Amino acid sequence: QSLRQISQRTISTASRRQFENRVPEKQKLFQEDNGLPVHLKGGLMDALLYRVTMGLSVFGTVYVVYKLFEVSMPKKQN
């Protein structure tokens, strides 16, 4: 019985913590007309993630084309 009360108390007090609602700030940021595409409006981390993703995509494409070219050539006989 007492264990049940303790567990209920810790669960109920953990959920009482209030977090600041930052949704209106984010809405203003993303609806602002500053000429940036929506996937870059989040700031530096969005730009960094975008560049890393594009770099990996370009590298992967070049690698696949290289491998296809390598496989399409007949092997030299010794």
Side-chain angles (χ1 to χ4, degrees), residues 7-64:
S7 65
Q8 285 179 346
R9 189 178 308 136
T10 57
I11 291 172
S12 65
T13 57
S15 64
R16 287 185 189 164
R17 285 187 276 179
Q18 295 294 320
F19 295 102
E20 183 182 350
N21 184 8
R22 297 189 323 209
V23 172
E25 296 170 19
K26 293 290 184 181
Q27 285 177 335
K28 286 179 186 176
L29 175 71
F30 282 92
Q31 291 175 355
E32 185 178 306
D33 187 17
N34 55 7
L36 288 174
V38 77
H39 61 275
L40 295 177
K41 285 189 177 187
L44 182 63
M45 282 305 291
D46 281 354
L48 182 65
L49 185 61
Y50 174 75
R51 288 191 176 126
V52 167
T53 303
M54 286 299 113
L56 287 172
S57 298
V58 169
F59 173 76
T61 302
V62 170
Y63 183 74
V64 165

